[in-house]
Amino acid sequence: MPWRTRAKAYRQHEDELYDRLVREAVSGKSSGMNTWASEFARVDKPEGDQSRFMNQFAATVKTTVALQTFILACIMHPEWINKAQKQIDDIVGPDHLPSFADRSRLPHIEAVVRETVRWRPSVRFGVPHESTADDIVEYNGEHYFIPAGTTVFDVTWAIEHDPGRYANPDSFEPERFLDVKGKLLSNYETSSFGFGRRICPGIPFAEQTLWIEIAMLLWTFNIRKAQGPNAETGLAFRYDDSDAGFTGNITSAPRDFPAVFEARSVRHAEVVRRDWENCEKDLNVLLPVAKG
Ligand code: HEM
């Protein structure tokens, strides 16, 4: 069966599954509880069908925002790129794209993924939760009373930018996750995917997706600022990785920016074209390669 027809069938299957999961979450059937999802969906909103909001949340939070953030980091903090590309070149070589089979031997790419979700978390204020009972929380020797019914935000950005945890938190430095021998530090934890019972269940999927996308992008391209004037203003584009450079409500994505992707060599371009042609012909060619 041609891959587009199969992909359509998968998509339909996925939509049905997703709709069912949303219906069960909204009705409280899945957890037997009065969930945030059901409360949110019950209240009439001018935007209409709330399942669309949830759909959009899952879709946009995914890896898209993190990948845009990664590209902005390549442009604004490029100091680490040579080292990461050297590791890819040493391990993978010039004749094929990286695959998951290389993952354990490319700790630098793993560190780039960790730094991407730390540096500018896609959900920087977390997702609001409502406390179900009175609670007392201890923080830095102080005790705080949180009454039942309080809306609580876990401000991921503040945690990931705590200078007590990370030196120069505003700077993109994947090496912070590596020891002096270039091995991954073992004490990794992140708040970028939330906390506790409702922590993001998509973490392995998100990390794997980001890993393979970042590895392939770095293997293939040099990514740099666009030169020359902005077509709209006639001025050089002003890149911005501050708060003002990001936009969104629950998710926080970089504002649109131009980027140049330059194949690292003629050979790299040939390999990518060859793989692209193969996977255009048959998805079965791509999947085993991606699985490694
Ligand atoms: C870089 C990518 C991603 C980031 C930064 C991210 C982040 C988050 C955050 C912060 C939450 C809220 C957790 C909380 O309430 O404490 C969340 C929830 C959720 N995420 Fe993700 N996520 C990502 C990718 C994904 C992917 C790929 C999937 C699905 C395959 C996914 C599925 C979900 C679901 C279903 C929830 C709701 C969980 C619940 O309320 O029980 N996420 N995510």
Side-chain angles (χ1 to χ4, degrees), residues 30-176:
S30 53
S31 61
M33 286 179 63
N34 185 17
T35 58
W36 168 82
S38 57
E39 177 65 29
F40 187 83
R42 253 201 313 273
V43 182
D44 274 347
K45 302 224 172 28
E47 303 91 299
D49 180 5
Q50 294 311 310
S51 66
R52 265 190 287 144
F53 166 83
M54 286 177 249
N55 205 341
Q56 189 201 28
F57 173 65
T60 52
V61 157
K62 282 190 194 171
T63 49
T64 317
V65 168
L67 205 60
Q68 291 164 346
T69 302
F70 159 77
I71 293 162
L72 186 65
C74 287
I75 284 176
M76 299 205 67
H77 300 261
E79 303 76 18
W80 53 273
I81 295 180
N82 285 348
K83 264 195 189 167
Q85 283 181 327
K86 178 164 183 342
Q87 186 168 80
I88 296 181
D89 293 344
D90 290 347
I91 300 296
V92 178
D95 295 326
H96 63 90
L97 280 156
S99 77
F100 285 118
D102 304 310
R103 190 169 177 189
S104 62
R105 292 179 301 153
L106 292 173
H108 218 107
I109 307 307
E110 206 75 48
V112 174
V113 172
R114 292 180 182 184
E115 184 65 342
T116 300
V117 296
R118 182 205 70 80
W119 181 59
R120 296 289 182 262
S122 310
V123 192
R124 64 169 63 188
F125 295 113
V127 172
H129 292 267
E130 187 178 300
S131 61
T132 52
D134 288 353
D135 200 3
I136 293 176
V137 175
E138 194 252 314
Y139 178 70
N140 278 350
E142 299 285 339
H143 289 81
Y144 297 87
F145 175 60
I146 317 268
T150 304
T151 301
V152 181
F153 285 81
D154 53 81
V155 183
T156 306
W157 190 90
I159 301 167
E160 298 300 320
H161 282 243
D162 175 358
R165 283 185 70 177
Y166 297 111
N168 305 321
D170 220 25
S171 154
F172 190 93
E173 298 173 17
E175 289 87 355
R176 66 174 87 246

Side-chain angles (χ1 to χ4, degrees), residues 16-39 41-42 51 54 198:
E16 283 163 13
L17 173 71
Y18 189 82
D19 283 348
R20 183 167 59 78
L21 291 174
V22 168
R23 274 199 311 276
E24 288 179 4
V26 166
S27 67
K29 183 179 161 199
S30 53
S31 61
M33 286 179 63
N34 185 17
T35 58
W36 168 82
S38 57
E39 177 65 29
R42 253 201 313 273
S51 66
M54 286 177 249
R198 306 304 293 269

